[in-house]
Amino acid sequence: MPVVNPEKLIALQRNANEVRNICILAHVDHGKTSLTDALIATNGIISPKLAGKIRYLDSRPDEQLRGITMESSAISLYFSMLRRPSPDAQLTQKEYLINLIDSPGHIDFSSEVSTASRLCDGALVLVDAVEGVCSQTVTVLRQTWTEHLKPLLVINKVDRLIAELKMRPAEAYTHLSKLLEQVNAVIGSFFQGERMEEDLQWRERVEERVAAAAEKERERVERRAARAASGSVAEDSESFADGSKEGMFEEKDDEDLYFAPEKNNVIFSSAVDGWAFTVRQFATLYEKKLGIKKSVLEKVLWGDFYLEPKTKRVLGSKHLKGRALKPMFVQLVLDNIWAVYEATSGGDKGKGHPAMIEKITKSLLLTIPPHILRSRDPRAILTTVFAAWLPLSTAILVSTIEYLPSPAAAQESRLPALINASLGAKHVDEAVRDAMVKLKSGKQDPVVGYVSKMVTVPESELPHNKRKTGGAMTGEEARDLARKKKVEFEKAQAAMNGETTNGDVNGLTEAFGEANLCDGDVGLDQVDMKDKDHLIGFTRLYSGTLSVGDQIYVLPPKFSPAHPHIDPVPQKVTVTGLYLLMGRGLEELNSVPAGVVFGIGGLGDQILKSGTLCSQLEGSINLAGVNMGSPPIVRVALEPVYPGDLDKMIRGMKLLEQSDPCAQYEVLESGEHVILTAGELHLERCLKDLKERYARCEIQAGEPIVPYRETIVSAPEMNPPKNKDLPRGTVLGITTSKQVTVRLRVRPLPASVTDFLKKNVGAIRRLYSEKKAENGNQRGTTSLEDAEDQEDEEDDNGDSTTADTSLLSILDFREKLRTAFANAKGEEAIWKDVVETVVAFGPRRTGPNLLIDNTQEGACERFLQESSEVTENTKISSASLHPRDFSDNIAYGFQLATAQGPMCHEPIQGIAVLLESVTIADLDTTSARESLPRLTGEVIKTVRASISTGFMDWSPRLMLAMYSCEIQASADVLGRVYSTLNRRHGRILTESLKEGTPFYSILSLLPVAESFGFSDEIRKRTSGAAQPQLVFSGFEVLDEDPYWVPATEEELEDFGEKGDRERVSRRYLDAVRVRKGLLVMKRGVEAEKQKTLKR
């Protein structure tokens, strides 16, 4: 294949209709990178013989070693084909630019999939023909659904049905049909869920309109009773007619969503053998032979259609009349493919049948080189026959161009929903909206782009620092190089002849050190350049034209066009470089038009992980709404081996956080430098990058830090309340000075309320921001609020991945929360009318815990109370102290108590703190205000201690972080899989046999604390036959009291007097307390001295 010149690719960027931006998505080991190799080979970058072996886009050594992709990589490809502009026109050659992004399939790197999908317009979704729909397959299909990408299904590894499962063509057809149904079932579930949500919203709107109409009708009746009803009847009927028209529910057709081979959106392939086909290709092959139109053949080649042998007529299943005919897909397609495999690799010794090969090549009019036919390698013959008959790249690229949309068509359909879901969508300038939807790329049009992630590139690998390869130097470059080498050589010669007689050894050494006779481009400067990394942004331009030297605003993920000048105000940044992404290399660009995926330099100081580029500040748009899937859950404390390298390590960790979409860096209160990763494999890759690329120093990692949660339950074996005169969980807290008494009660929240709060964290955060903005003009913020805001900013610093798009108002949120409380069976009376008295959520004002004000005087400001509902009695005199003076202190004490629970200082989840009374001792009017600063700290300390005491009055529980573990394994290794799971306290949820395959699919739950080394152990014990996929699924209560001691006779008999048998919850609790330096009560071991006999 001839090598495509980069200048040709750059020229094709100007025609947006001939550009395709696609990504390849699939489960791990389903053949993404092998398929990409075959496409890259069409541009002459690699040899077609090495396609599937070299894994060109896996540029990292650990990717090549493990055989999996860890980072998404982009490359621009050229493709030309003959097309007719109209049915009667002549064939003309058209050239296309395909920007291809290869993404990882491992669950630990799902954030890379999210960053890749936002930049593209279409996706190739690969599914293994044997393994079928796996966990990550569902994830990537959901990603295409949420990002409104047009998917193209590729059923890969069809050769496994022949070589491994030994299926006949008819069996393979049945298997492929069921596989297609499974994929369509996943798409159907997404559509059904969306329609159910729309139906619910429509019903709510109808109910609101009916209620509003009833209210208007009541007002009309009252007016009619007061005045004559001469003209009001027509008005009423007209209004009623208008209202009835608005209530129509719009139905949507889902026919175009599903995959069907007759629609040309399904490709059957084998990337390792280099072949692929669509139904349209075989319809073209059989059109003349069968005398049936191509359009008809496309519809009947897949499905229950049969070919009459004598008349060559197509029959449906109803007209078979008992005849045993093969489906047309089996007879015309699969039989021929099976025949090629039998001819090339069949026979007794797997060497094929030469006579059969000759017959096939003649019938297909194929020309095979004689040296290939004489080859003793059956695979060489197999791949050559398929490359000439059904080349993989042709089927993939032609289907991509014909089925997947161009940037202009994709943005017109995708972007309206994306813009409406962005933050402050109502304030987006119409010029910006119109330019994005219509893909305007003029110089005067607004520039809008999205940076999905940052990648680090050594300075020596930037295009202007690399020597040109594949071409001769110009005359000027050759003369400069010769002149430089001549000067260096003369300087060294002079030093040797003249200066050495004086014994100036230093001069000679210096001359040789400066001389460089090997290469004029390599020297000390080159070594220094390698030590510096540059951040390049993966970017998609939606409108306008961007050039080197342009100045553009970089909008952070939390920016809202409704308040464009709120601190921190976005700053203009100068674009220092634009690059064409070519896999392992970059090519320089001077300007980039809209609709192209490219690299951009100069943004390293402004973007942490992702951001939006816009040429204007007022009326701009924030596109940072990518869902990163599973959050980082595994934390590890790092420290340099040599303390002097601490600055290097910190600088490297910040660079790693910026370049990795999922990794986060934070400093704990203890001073530990911690990195958060998605899983064990992701952690291993981050540590390797940190040591070798970013910090470049020796780093040692501690034990993984697994998060826990603390909660309480009402259990029958609970101890009696500590204060018998008060209800369980009630605490009477008195400050040190005895001047303030706080009475509060701690209760477990209903599960429905806890789940609701966890799902609406973004809505709570947005409601708090709006509440703070409303109150900001009325009163200044306190120092406690400033401290909390700073903590939240630090906590959310790396959380640039999600933007809350739910537009719940306070009234809507209050109504849904009231419904969640009403669903608590048996506790309706306890939680009645509690929503209006909610003061705060915690911890960090967004957690699943509630502070509720049950005081008669209203000691705290109600959070879920609109500003119009706030009464005047909230204003208090400044002469004496009032419970409302301590409102912020009580709320801050609640935040501290829920952030660090009493068991092991882990966050609390699922409790309600009911503030019952705040009593202030009588003080002199003059000294009351003077004692307020001193009482502030005392109240915070008292509230925090009281909540912890009330918490321990119930039955405490630890909540474990859990992985959802999916394993595919054959029947002969199931026992080893189960034993490994049981030893690590895993719990089997489901086990099912995949129909048509010998594999079982096992779904289980595994504690994150027990998952380290799990993948390696299960691979060793099953000899590589089982590969687990671990996805974080949330926290689960470990139903075991860590403080329990045996009391009854049966318990003493089972567990001993001291309960010596190890309790899992106690082991986890003590491990966390030891790590945090908290007191751990160890049992003393009683032993008697051994008596020995005298000799």
Side-chain angles (χ1 to χ4, degrees):
M1 291 288 181
V3 179
V4 179
N5 198 339
E7 281 72 16
K8 181 179 288 188
L9 300 175
I10 296 172
L12 289 174
Q13 291 182 343
R14 301 296 167 185
N15 191 352
N17 291 325
E18 269 68 50
V19 175
R20 299 293 185 273
N21 299 315
I22 64 172
C23 55
I24 300 183
L25 311 175
H27 188 77
V28 65
D29 287 337
H30 279 200
K32 297 180 298 299
T33 308
S34 300
L35 181 74
T36 307
D37 274 0
L39 304 182
I40 294 174
T42 61
N43 280 225
I45 299 175
I46 62 174
S47 170
K49 295 180 180 179
L50 297 177
K53 302 175 184 176
I54 195 172
R55 302 175 63 89
Y56 181 77
L57 290 185
D58 287 351
S59 56
R60 297 170 54 95
D62 49 355
E63 288 179 325
Q64 293 285 346
L65 182 64
R66 288 181 174 271
I68 62 172
T69 304
M70 297 184 184
E71 290 182 350
S72 55
S73 304
I75 192 168
S76 297
L77 301 176
Y78 165 83
F79 184 67
S80 65
M81 60 183 293
L82 298 174
R83 302 195 71 178
R84 286 189 174 92
S86 62
D88 300 331
Q90 294 290 330
L91 288 171
T92 58
Q93 184 177 7
K94 299 201 71 175
E95 298 177 329
Y96 295 91
L97 173 67
I98 298 177
N99 295 315
L100 177 69
I101 301 180
D102 181 27
S103 63
H106 197 280
I107 189 63
D108 280 9
F109 310 109
S110 58
S111 57
E112 297 278 352
V113 178
S114 304
T115 58
S117 59
R118 173 55 66 93
L119 303 180
C120 299
D121 303 316
L124 298 178
V125 180
L126 270 68
V127 179
D128 192 315
V130 174
E131 295 183 5
V133 177
C134 299
S135 58
Q136 196 68 358
T137 309
V138 178
T139 302
V140 299
L141 285 172
R142 184 181 291 109
Q143 192 73 34
T144 61
W145 179 269
T146 55
E147 292 289 342
H148 303 285
L149 300 182
K150 197 166 186 180
L152 185 63
L153 180 64
V154 180
I155 300 179
N156 194 27
K157 300 189 179 183
V158 180
D159 59 290
R160 294 184 64 188
L161 303 179
I162 306 172
E164 294 182 18
L165 301 186
K166 308 295 182 183
M167 286 186 176
R168 294 190 296 272
E171 296 171 342
Y173 169 69
T174 304
H175 178 81
L176 294 173
S177 301
K178 292 180 179 179
L179 176 59
L180 197 59
E181 291 175 2
Q182 293 174 7
V183 178
N184 285 331
V186 175
I187 298 292
S189 66
F190 299 154
F191 176 77
Q192 184 181 6
E194 186 178 89
R195 294 301 291 162
M196 290 177 65
E197 184 177 356
E198 291 177 356
D199 179 65
L200 179 62
Q201 294 174 355
W202 172 78
R203 292 180 185 277
E204 291 177 351
R205 290 195 299 268
V206 169
E207 291 174 359
E208 291 175 0
R209 284 198 295 269
V210 170
E215 181 66 21
K216 289 181 180 178
E217 185 65 23
R218 187 181 60 80
E219 294 175 358
R220 291 194 191 98
V221 171
E222 293 177 356
R223 288 197 302 268
R224 190 181 294 117
R227 63 183 182 179
S230 58
S232 60
V233 176
E235 179 186 352
D236 293 345
S237 61
E238 183 179 354
S239 298
F240 182 76
D242 292 341
S244 63
K245 292 179 182 178
E246 295 177 359
M248 299 298 293
F249 181 71
E250 181 183 357
E251 294 289 347
K252 289 185 179 180
D253 186 17
D254 61 341
E255 185 179 355
D256 295 335
L257 300 176
Y258 300 113
F259 297 108
E262 60 269 21
K263 295 179 183 177
N264 199 36
N265 60 1
V266 178
I267 302 173
F268 303 91
S269 74
S270 171
V272 70
D273 291 338
W275 60 266
F277 68 88
T278 61
V279 166
R280 179 172 295 182
Q281 281 181 267
F282 275 92
T284 305
L285 293 174
Y286 286 109
E287 181 181 12
K288 294 182 180 179
K289 185 174 182 179
L290 298 178
I292 303 175
K293 291 184 179 180
K294 177 183 174 182
S295 58
V296 176
L297 272 177
E298 288 180 10
K299 297 178 181 179
V300 299
L301 265 180
W302 177 268
D304 293 333
F305 296 99
Y306 305 86
L307 186 65
E308 172 67 36
K310 297 180 180 179
T311 61
K312 302 296 182 183
R313 291 175 54 204
V314 178
L315 304 176
S317 56
K318 296 181 180 178
H319 301 88
L320 284 179
K321 298 179 180 180
R323 288 177 291 181
L325 297 180
K326 296 179 181 180
M328 291 182 66
F329 190 77
V330 176
Q331 182 180 357
L332 303 180
V333 180
L334 296 185
D335 279 348
N336 294 326
I337 293 175
W338 259 246
V340 173
Y341 275 94
E342 177 64 23
T344 54
S345 57
D348 296 335
K349 298 182 180 180
K351 295 184 178 180
H353 306 281
M356 195 174 177
I357 295 173
E358 184 179 357
K359 182 179 178 181
I360 290 173
T361 53
K362 287 183 179 180
S363 62
L364 296 176
L365 302 178
L366 304 179
T367 303
I368 307 298
H371 71 278
I372 297 292
L373 292 174
R374 292 193 299 267
S375 174
R376 295 184 178 181
D377 184 11
R379 282 197 53 79
I381 304 174
L382 176 71
T383 54
T384 305
V385 171
F386 275 123
W389 179 34
L390 301 172
L392 174 69
S393 57
T394 302
I396 299 292
L397 295 178
V398 170
S399 298
T400 297
I401 291 167
E402 292 182 347
Y403 185 74
L404 299 183
S406 63
Q411 290 188 197
E412 189 173 359
S413 60
R414 285 183 65 203
L415 288 191
L418 195 65
I419 295 173
N420 293 333
S422 63
L423 293 174
K426 296 180 180 179
H427 301 273
V428 176
D429 190 359
E430 285 299 324
V432 173
R433 185 187 297 263
D434 186 63
M436 293 177 65
V437 173
K438 296 183 179 179
L439 193 72
K440 294 183 178 180
S441 57
K443 286 288 185 182
Q444 295 77 23
D445 295 316
V447 177
V448 178
Y450 177 69
V451 181
S452 68
K453 75 166 188 172
M454 306 293 288
V455 295
T456 55
V457 178
E459 186 168 346
S460 59
E461 294 185 11
L462 293 177
H464 57 269
N465 291 328
K466 295 180 69 175
R467 281 194 59 182
K468 294 182 179 180
T469 57
M473 290 188 294
T474 63
E476 187 65 27
E477 291 174 342
R479 283 191 292 271
D480 288 342
L481 181 60
R483 194 179 300 114
K484 186 185 298 184
K485 289 188 176 182
K486 183 178 179 182
V487 171
E488 291 176 352
F489 184 78
E490 289 178 350
K491 188 184 294 185
Q493 193 72 21
M496 291 177 63
N497 295 334
E499 297 178 9
T500 52
T501 57
N502 299 328
D504 191 0
V505 181
N506 294 330
L508 178 63
T509 306
E510 182 181 355
F512 273 113
E514 293 177 356
N516 188 358
L517 305 180
C518 300
D519 191 349
D521 292 341
V522 180
L524 296 176
D525 294 337
Q526 185 86 354
V527 176
D528 293 336
M529 281 195 301
K530 287 185 178 180
D531 292 335
K532 186 177 180 181
D533 285 323
H534 288 260
L535 287 164
I536 306 297
F538 264 41
T539 313
R540 163 72 182 269
L541 202 63
Y542 289 101
S543 65
T545 299
L546 191 62
S547 303
V548 176
D550 287 353
Q551 289 191 333
I552 194 166
Y553 287 103
V554 178
L555 310 181
K558 296 182 182 180
F559 173 84
S560 174
H563 309 285
H565 297 287
I566 288 183
D567 290 334
V569 179
Q571 302 296 323
K572 274 195 171 183
V573 178
T574 302
V575 178
T576 59
L578 299 172
Y579 306 99
L580 181 69
L581 304 172
M582 293 299 295
R584 301 184 180 185
L586 302 171
E587 295 291 339
E588 281 189 308
L589 300 173
N590 294 322
S591 64
V592 174
V596 176
V597 177
F598 61 98
I600 183 171
L603 310 180
D605 296 333
Q606 297 295 325
I607 293 182
L608 178 62
K609 291 182 180 295
S610 64
T612 306
L613 308 179
C614 196
S615 56
Q616 63 187 56
L617 196 57
E618 289 79 7
S620 56
I621 181 172
N622 185 3
L623 297 173
V626 178
N627 181 17
M628 290 301 175
S630 57
I633 191 66
V634 178
R635 297 183 295 172
V636 171
L638 306 179
E639 64 177 6
V641 175
Y642 304 104
D645 292 336
L646 180 61
D647 291 339
K648 277 186 179 181
M649 188 190 77
I650 294 175
R651 186 168 58 249
M653 292 178 77
K654 291 180 178 179
L655 198 60
L656 172 67
E657 181 186 23
Q658 204 166 1
S659 61
D660 193 297
C662 188
Q664 294 180 15
Y665 162 60
E666 64 181 24
V667 182
L668 301 182
E669 296 179 355
S670 60
E672 292 177 294
H673 298 273
V674 172
I675 185 172
L676 284 80
T677 59
E680 192 175 5
L681 183 59
H682 186 213
L683 172 63
E684 184 179 336
R685 193 199 74 179
C686 289
L687 292 177
K688 182 179 178 63
D689 287 347
L690 198 58
K691 294 176 183 178
E692 298 179 359
R693 296 175 60 184
Y694 302 130
R696 293 181 181 172
C697 63
E698 290 297 322
I699 295 173
Q700 57 186 9
E703 292 295 324
I705 304 172
V706 178
Y708 294 87
R709 295 290 183 267
E710 301 180 19
T711 190
I712 53 176
V713 296
S714 178
E717 71 275 4
M718 288 189 297
N719 295 324
K722 295 181 180 178
N723 192 336
K724 297 180 181 180
D725 299 331
L726 297 175
R728 183 180 294 276
T730 304
V731 180
L732 205 61
I734 303 174
T735 60
T736 308
S737 60
K738 312 292 185 182
Q739 295 178 355
V740 181
T741 303
V742 179
R743 173 171 170 158
L744 53 83
R745 187 180 184 189
V746 178
R747 289 189 63 92
L749 271 178
S752 57
V753 179
T754 306
D755 294 339
F756 172 78
L757 296 177
K758 287 192 293 185
K759 292 177 182 177
N760 292 274
V761 171
I764 298 172
R765 182 181 289 117
R766 188 179 56 81
L767 290 175
Y768 175 80
S769 301
E770 294 176 357
K771 196 88 171 177
K772 182 183 175 184
E774 291 177 4
N775 299 337
N777 299 327
Q778 302 175 7
R779 62 180 178 86
T781 57
T782 64
S783 59
L784 294 178
E785 289 176 340
D786 293 337
E788 288 183 351
D789 291 339
Q790 186 174 0
E791 286 181 5
D792 286 348
E793 288 298 324
E794 292 174 358
D795 182 55
D796 298 335
N797 191 23
D799 189 14
S800 61
T801 58
T802 57
D804 185 69
T805 58
S806 58
L807 302 177
L808 287 176
S809 64
I810 287 186
L811 291 176
D812 294 336
F813 182 84
R814 196 163 59 183
E815 191 62 34
K816 291 182 180 293
L817 182 59
R818 186 179 289 110
T819 304
F821 273 113
N823 293 333
K825 295 182 180 180
E827 299 181 355
E828 294 86 351
I830 300 175
W831 305 108
K832 186 179 180 181
D833 299 331
V834 78
V835 175
E836 286 76 11
T837 60
V838 171
V839 175
F841 303 86
R844 298 191 181 276
R845 294 192 299 268
T846 58
N849 303 291
L850 294 180
L851 175 62
I852 299 168
D853 183 8
N854 281 351
T855 58
Q856 295 180 355
E857 65 273 11
C860 298
E861 182 180 354
R862 312 291 169 83
F863 179 80
L864 296 179
Q865 196 173 38
E866 291 189 334
S867 56
S868 60
E869 300 176 358
V870 178
T871 58
E872 291 296 326
N873 61 2
T874 58
K875 298 180 180 179
I876 58 176
S877 62
S878 59
S880 60
L881 289 179
H882 188 271
R884 187 168 283 269
D885 290 327
F886 303 103
S887 172
D888 293 337
N889 310 131
I890 294 171
Y892 191 61
F894 166 75
Q895 301 293 343
L896 293 177
T898 53
Q900 291 187 341
M903 298 172 67
C904 55
H905 286 194
E906 290 290 322
I908 293 177
Q909 177 174 309
I911 70 167
V913 179
L914 289 78
L915 183 66
E916 296 183 349
S917 66
V918 179
T919 307
I920 302 175
D922 294 334
L923 298 173
D924 294 337
T925 306
T926 56
S927 62
R929 284 292 156 187
E930 295 176 358
S931 61
L932 183 59
R934 173 177 53 81
L935 292 176
T936 294
E938 292 184 8
V939 171
I940 293 174
K941 179 181 177 181
T942 303
V943 170
R944 181 179 182 181
S946 300
I947 294 175
S948 299
T949 305
F951 182 95
M952 297 303 294
D953 208 10
W954 297 83
S955 183
R957 294 288 188 271
L958 269 183
M959 298 186 70
L960 307 182
M962 302 296 288
Y963 275 138
S964 173
C965 176
E966 183 179 354
I967 304 173
Q968 285 195 1
S970 55
D972 52 344
V973 297
L974 277 182
R976 302 172 193 171
V977 171
Y978 288 157
S979 64
T980 307
L981 282 170
N982 291 332
R983 188 164 55 255
R984 292 176 176 263
H985 305 287
R987 189 172 79 253
I988 308 294
L989 298 180
T990 61
E991 175 199 318
S992 58
L993 177 64
K994 288 208 166 188
E995 193 172 354
T997 69
F999 298 106
Y1000 284 85
S1001 179
I1002 304 158
L1003 185 64
S1004 62
L1005 286 177
L1006 183 71
V1008 176
E1010 304 287 349
S1011 67
F1012 301 104
F1014 172 72
S1015 298
D1016 290 338
E1017 181 183 358
I1018 206 167
R1019 277 196 298 265
K1020 290 177 182 176
R1021 289 181 59 85
T1022 61
S1023 301
Q1027 175 71 32
Q1029 285 281 301
L1030 302 175
V1031 186
F1032 178 65
S1033 64
F1035 291 88
E1036 185 180 274
V1037 176
L1038 179 60
D1039 195 13
E1040 188 177 284
D1041 188 351
Y1043 299 103
W1044 176 86
V1045 291
T1048 65
E1049 292 184 2
E1050 295 180 356
E1051 293 171 350
L1052 289 171
E1053 184 177 350
D1054 291 339
F1055 298 97
E1057 293 184 2
K1058 301 183 180 298
D1060 295 331
R1061 184 182 299 179
E1062 182 190 37
R1063 299 181 65 79
V1064 177
S1065 58
R1066 188 70 190 187
R1067 176 162 57 86
Y1068 290 148
L1069 181 67
D1070 289 345
V1072 177
R1073 293 185 67 88
V1074 168
R1075 177 173 56 82
K1076 293 186 176 183
L1078 303 175
L1079 179 64
V1080 177
M1081 299 299 294
K1082 294 285 187 181
R1083 290 194 184 95
V1085 179
E1086 297 180 2
E1088 295 181 358
K1089 184 177 180 181
Q1090 183 180 2
K1091 296 180 179 179
T1092 57
L1093 297 176
K1094 293 182 179 179
R1095 292 184 180 178

